[in-house]
Amino acid sequence: RNTTNTCKGFAEMSYADVWDGFQLVSTEVNRKERFLKDVASYFKERSKIEDSYAKALKKLSQVTLGGKNETGNIALTIATLKEDAEKSASTHAEIARRLASESSDEIVKFLAAGKKAKDKTVSEAMKLDKQLVNDKISESRAKDKYYKTAQEGKGNDKMAKKVKSADDTYSKAVTTLIETQTKHYQYMPNHLAELQKYQESVEDKLRDGLDSYLSVLEKGPAELTDSFLSVRSSSSMIDPRKDIEELILTMRTASKPRPPLSAYVPFENRGSYMPPEEPSSPTSPGSSYGGLGGSINSNNSISISRGTTSPTISPTNSRFDASKRVSRLGAIFAQPDQSHENNEYDPNYVGEVNWKCEALYDWTADPAEGELSLSKGESLVVEYRHDGGWLCGTNAKGEKGNFPENYVSFN
């Protein structure tokens, strides 16, 4: 309806006004087409940038951050950062897709379809105008020739036929021109109206493209803001003091048990106290022990008895197990039950001896148990051998006590 009304308005215009209007509108349409095409290219480039940014963010979300073994709020923050990058990547990828499909591609399709119809309208108008111009020239030439011939044949009967021919040619040219003018006034308003309508649609598409562009970008920041708020919330939860306290608590409650609490041990029960095991030494197997046992009575006298237990004596366990302990105090005071005149080492002999040996390892004694400390390489004189791998001897300083047999060498 609008096009029909426009045509009626154009039909009331003169030929020159209609054609001049058509040229102006055609020029303006071409300018707006170029501008709309540039805008589509801009949207396309923006889409490429968004897509490239989305890929970079996606790659960033897959990076392994330091502190991968972190726990608590630190781990939550790391996870939130990676989630933020992944969400941002997804958002920008969606922006890129919509910018391409809803803005750039739509404009390109519109221009492709609209330009084809516009070019047809312009072509028909140009053809009609060209015909009108040519017919006008023909009419003008025929008119000039007729007037000239008529002037020359005035009063000359011999030229009457020639004048008549020129007159007919002029008359036909006028008829042709009138037909072309009629066609022009009939179709040119339609062409002008169609061109103007296309111009309006170009501007509408430009406005729609910009609206779509803004709509796409409006959604993106909202999602990015949610992601930003998640990171800020996670950051605010980091509490260094609390994290350190939790770390200490974790170490404290690990599988390693706490040391036992101290307990008071009366003097008469001191034999039941077992020191912790010494650090392991590199060599030497243990041997069974079934040596002498002793205890201090309430009247401070010493009772000696032959032991029946068999603890393992070695550099890794120089003390007795709590369940197999035997006091070795009595070994110093024990009377020999056998005599031995041979001064050479005999591993099967038990009793008083006179052997020389050398310490293979350092060994820390418990004086309360009547033991003698050893220093690697020092020389000792063995005076008594028990039947469980313990020796009683004296060092170069004259100090006397018991020590493990497998800590010394008789070679």
Side-chain angles (χ1 to χ4, degrees):
R1 184 171 64 252
N2 292 336
T3 303
T4 302
N5 293 334
T6 302
C7 290
K8 288 180 179 179
F10 290 152
E12 297 172 358
M13 298 168 63
S14 67
Y15 158 74
D17 291 338
V18 172
W19 178 245
D20 290 344
F22 184 86
Q23 285 185 314
L24 290 173
V25 173
S26 179
T27 301
E28 183 67 12
V29 165
N30 291 337
R31 190 180 70 81
K32 282 188 168 57
E33 273 187 332
R34 288 194 297 270
F35 178 68
L36 187 57
K37 186 176 180 181
D38 290 342
V39 169
S41 298
Y42 173 86
F43 291 162
K44 194 72 172 180
E45 287 301 313
R46 177 62 187 268
S47 173
K48 291 179 180 179
I49 292 173
E50 292 290 340
D51 185 61
S52 177
Y53 188 39
K55 290 178 180 177
L57 285 171
K58 183 67 176 179
K59 186 176 180 180
L60 180 63
S61 70
Q62 297 170 350
V63 171
T64 301
L65 295 174
K68 59 183 178 181
N69 294 324
E70 293 287 354
T71 57
N73 293 329
I74 298 295
L76 177 62
T77 301
I78 293 174
T80 304
L81 284 174
K82 298 183 74 173
E83 184 179 358
D84 167 63
E86 190 168 357
K87 285 183 177 179
S88 298
S90 177
T91 299
H92 286 282
E94 179 66 11
I95 290 175
R97 185 193 67 77
R98 291 186 59 189
L99 282 177
S101 63
E102 299 177 20
S103 298
S104 178
D105 292 349
E106 284 294 318
I107 292 176
V108 171
K109 291 178 183 178
F110 167 80
L111 287 175
K115 187 175 184 300
K116 186 176 181 180
K118 181 211 73 169
D119 290 345
K120 182 179 179 181
T121 299
V122 172
S123 176
E124 291 178 353
M126 294 290 288
K127 184 178 178 180
L128 186 60
D129 182 71
K130 185 177 181 180
Q131 182 181 354
L132 181 63
V133 171
N134 291 336
D135 290 347
K136 180 63 178 176
I137 293 174
S138 298
E139 182 268 345
S140 180
R141 288 176 179 175
K143 179 180 179 181
D144 290 342
K145 186 177 181 179
Y146 164 64
Y147 286 168
K148 183 179 180 181
T149 304
Q151 183 67 28
E152 293 175 351
K154 191 174 183 181
N156 187 350
D157 295 338
K158 292 182 178 180
M159 292 188 65
K161 187 175 181 181
K162 198 173 184 179
V163 172
K164 179 70 170 61
S165 177
D167 185 19
D168 291 341
T169 301
Y170 170 58
S171 179
K172 289 179 182 179
V174 171
T175 301
T176 301
L177 179 59
I178 292 174
E179 290 176 354
T180 303
Q181 287 175 334
T182 301
K183 188 185 297 184
H184 182 277
Y185 284 111
Q186 180 181 356
Y187 292 110
M188 276 303 294
N190 292 335
H191 294 330
L192 180 56
E194 290 174 2
L195 197 61
Q196 182 174 338
K197 182 180 179 182
Y198 177 64
Q199 176 188 350
E200 293 172 356
S201 67
V202 170
E203 294 185 6
D204 286 342
K205 196 62 183 178
L206 175 60
R207 184 186 62 238
D208 292 344
L210 292 172
D211 288 344
S212 176
Y213 175 78
L214 294 176
S215 174
V216 171
L217 296 185
E218 184 179 17
K219 180 181 179 183
E223 295 178 351
L224 295 177
T225 299
D226 291 341
S227 183
F228 161 77
L229 293 176
S230 296
V231 175
R232 186 169 69 178
S233 174
S234 176
S235 175
S236 65
M237 292 172 62
I238 296 177
D239 185 348
R241 182 180 182 87
K242 182 180 179 182
D243 287 342
I244 292 174
E245 290 176 353
E246 289 181 353
L247 176 63
I248 294 174
L249 182 62
T250 301
M251 295 176 63
R252 185 183 298 165
T253 57
S255 58
K256 187 176 181 180
R258 297 182 182 181
L261 298 176
S262 300
Y264 170 72
V265 180
F267 175 76
E268 54 271 18
N269 296 336
R270 68 189 185 283
S272 63
Y273 170 70
M274 291 280 85
E277 294 184 355
E278 295 181 356
S280 60
S281 295
T283 60
S284 186
S287 61
S288 298
Y289 175 66
L292 297 175
S295 62
I296 299 178
N297 300 324
S298 59
N299 58 2
N300 290 332
S301 62
I302 299 175
S303 298
I304 306 298
S305 61
R306 175 67 61 181
T308 58
T309 56
S310 301
T312 299
I313 306 299
S314 70
T316 60
N317 186 12
S318 60
R319 305 284 188 250
F320 296 107
D321 287 344
S323 61
K324 301 180 180 180
R325 60 182 177 273
V326 175
S327 174
R328 295 183 292 282
L329 287 172
I332 302 176
F333 305 101
Q335 298 298 319
D337 55 355
Q338 302 181 46
S339 61
H340 193 268
E341 297 178 357
N342 194 343
N343 293 331
E344 293 186 3
Y345 172 66
D346 182 355
N348 298 317
Y349 180 76
V350 176
E352 194 174 67
V353 296
N354 185 24
W355 296 335
K356 293 182 179 180
C357 64
E358 181 179 321
L360 295 174
Y361 315 102
D362 291 335
W363 187 71
T364 302
D366 182 2
E369 294 289 340
E371 297 171 351
L372 176 66
S373 296
L374 302 178
S375 298
K376 181 179 179 180
E378 73 171 324
S379 299
L380 302 105
V381 176
V382 181
E383 300 175 2
Y384 194 90
R385 182 180 185 277
H386 306 289
D387 64 355
W390 281 84
L391 305 173
C392 181
T394 307
N395 61 16
K397 299 177 183 179
E399 298 171 338
K400 185 176 181 179
N402 295 314
F403 51 87
E405 184 175 343
N406 57 358
Y407 271 66
V408 299
S409 172
F410 294 93
N411 295 330

